[in-house]
Amino acid sequence: MGGPIEHGALNSAKRLMAELIEQAFEASRGRPARCHQTVRVTLPIADVDVLHWLGAQEADAIVYWAGRDGELEVAGLGAADVVAEDGPRDFHRPLEKIRERLDPGEPGLRYYGGFSFSPSDEITAAWEPFGSCRFVLPRIEILNRSGQSYLACNLVFREGEPHRREVDNALVTLYDIRFPKTRKVDMLEAPVSREDRPDRSHWCEMVERALGLIRGNAFTKIVLARETDLSFARKIAPLSLLATLAHRGDNGYRFYFQPRRFAAFLGASPERLYKRRSRYIQTEAVAGTRPRGNSPAEDTALWEELLASEKDRSEHHIVAAAIRDVLHRLCRTVHIAPELSDLRLKHCRHLLCSIEGLLASTDADAVILEAMHPTPSVGGYPAARALENVARLEPFKRGWYAGPVGWAGYDAAEFAVAIRSGLVRENTLTLYTGAGIIDGSIPQAEWEELESKLGLFVGIWNE
């Protein structure tokens, strides 16, 4: 968001927030005892550039989320509460815990985080800080919503624990936050090396094996991915990478999850898994890719080529049919957009079909995730057989790549598909890209599609 930061007014807001936290503590004394009593204190403040503010903080645990529709941007520091699991991925247990800990009278309370792609993959050392699931209720948040900035503090009063300690912990985090007068820009140095797993020749072999299985009717579509390691001379400042991605302007979801310093999963995903408000659900089918043209005429030609591509339309039809079938099982009514449109991004565009419905139940997020993830756009179709072969063919574990990431509230949730994403570990940035393989796919052309998708990140150092 634009506009100058009113430094004095923002520091005054910290003092007022401290008073409101103390009032919340006093009010909590008169409430009935619960295992978790979650309280949120919110204060309108002067206009804040959230990423600028976030980059000035010293914190181990950080979350950031920006919705694709521009409705919400939030940055969170510290953790008032964490729901995490290290065993086999399960949607039900963590989401049930989150809902039990939320107050229907506090609609702003949200846990931010995500799940691993596979329910059964072993958690590798690279993904150990994230586990199979990790959701955080931030201690301190700054939100931008509808042109207004807010400062918020979340308190969790636990039965059997001193409430005063929770308040003191919150005040320490509050007083430590900074509202910088000047903008600090960390330059992103170019990587010193790159390694692809698989490399080009092994990728082509992997795709040929998949095509053989498709011709043998093992499955109709499979999505295969590549892992690209970029190594740097020194430790990466992942927040600077996030800010650069935001500056590049793609209209996707932006997410950032940092469980500890120099370990972060971040991305700019174009793809919504679903958004739910009570029983109303919105989702979409996304598939098929073309790069953007260097001129309006070239851009139009590439779009017309995508629309006319039998291979891309067939791939999109598989995705749309699978999502439609899921919603028909979950919803009382379903509406599908009658015409294909495009999801237009800065570096590429995709075929898009919007789908919405009215759910049979409001307490359905785990059921929705279980039914919708993974969509054929990141797994394949039929799902079970495709995923079995993804695990056999790919030479790495996906971790959170292509898994559901987003937020969960008491009666609402929103999840994106964690594509166009990267994992930061000390001085290594691991990037993930995938391509849908169907009958008629050409291995070399699919490799070029991976390179096009990788442009969101590598373009940072090429421009």
Side-chain angles (χ1 to χ4, degrees), residues 86-347:
D86 296 323
R89 191 207 66 209
D90 178 83
F91 293 131
H92 290 268
R93 283 192 306 270
L95 290 173
E96 286 170 4
K97 288 179 182 177
I98 288 171
R99 199 163 194 275
E100 289 170 358
R101 297 175 186 185
L102 292 177
D103 186 338
E106 295 280 5
L109 284 168
R110 293 173 174 178
Y111 283 70
Y112 298 87
F115 296 92
S116 61
F117 177 83
S118 171
S120 56
D121 276 353
E122 177 186 352
I123 299 170
T124 62
W127 290 100
E128 180 273 329
F130 301 86
S132 59
C133 158
R134 181 180 174 85
F135 281 82
V136 174
L137 176 66
R139 172 66 76 198
I140 297 292
E141 299 174 24
I142 286 197
L143 305 91
N144 283 330
R145 181 188 286 117
S146 303
Q148 173 65 57
S149 295
Y150 300 87
L151 175 64
C153 177
N154 299 313
L155 305 167
V156 181
F157 298 127
R158 297 170 176 85
E159 188 177 11
E161 296 183 12
H163 291 192
R164 183 70 242 177
R165 183 192 303 162
E166 174 72 355
V167 170
D168 290 342
N169 289 339
L171 291 174
V172 167
T173 306
L174 174 68
Y175 288 133
D176 281 345
I177 67 173
R178 305 168 182 175
F179 291 106
K181 294 181 179 179
T182 58
R183 185 180 301 273
K184 179 184 177 184
V185 178
D186 290 322
M187 299 302 295
L188 291 168
E189 297 182 5
V192 296
S193 66
R194 168 177 167 170
E195 179 184 0
D196 295 310
R197 285 184 300 277
D199 60 19
R200 184 190 289 262
S201 63
H202 288 97
W203 167 264
C204 292
E205 292 173 10
M206 185 170 71
V207 173
E208 289 291 1
R209 288 173 63 191
L211 288 170
L213 292 166
I214 290 171
R215 295 179 192 118
N217 296 317
F219 40 78
T220 305
K221 174 185 177 181
I222 187 170
V223 179
L224 297 176
R226 181 185 69 186
E227 189 178 57
T228 298
D229 278 351
L230 301 180
S231 297
F232 296 78
R234 53 181 56 86
K235 289 181 179 179
I236 302 165
L239 281 171
S240 295
L241 182 59
L242 174 69
T244 304
L245 288 177
H247 179 70
R248 286 166 67 79
D250 268 357
N251 58 328
Y253 292 95
R254 298 193 303 276
F255 57 87
Y256 182 97
F257 304 107
Q258 177 184 302
R260 64 189 186 207
R261 295 193 190 200
F262 302 108
F265 181 54
L266 71 156
S269 172
E271 188 170 346
R272 167 181 287 163
L273 184 59
Y274 75 91
K275 181 177 183 179
R276 180 182 70 83
R277 301 280 184 181
S278 187
R279 291 196 296 120
Y280 175 58
I281 184 171
Q282 297 170 278
T283 184
E284 61 199 21
V286 177
T289 305
R290 286 295 184 280
R292 300 302 302 274
N294 294 320
S295 67
E298 183 184 7
D299 201 43
T300 300
L302 286 166
W303 166 239
E304 291 174 349
E305 177 187 303
L306 179 59
L307 272 178
S309 167
E310 184 178 341
K311 182 263 183 186
D312 288 291
R313 291 183 73 96
S314 175
E315 183 182 348
H316 186 274
H317 175 75
I318 292 169
V319 176
I323 295 174
R324 178 200 62 208
D325 291 347
V326 166
L327 284 199
H328 276 302
R329 296 199 306 269
L330 297 176
C331 293
R332 294 179 179 176
T333 60
V334 176
H335 174 73
I336 302 170
E339 300 291 338
L340 282 179
S341 59
D342 66 326
L343 181 55
R344 193 175 307 180
L345 305 171
K346 185 175 181 180
H347 300 282

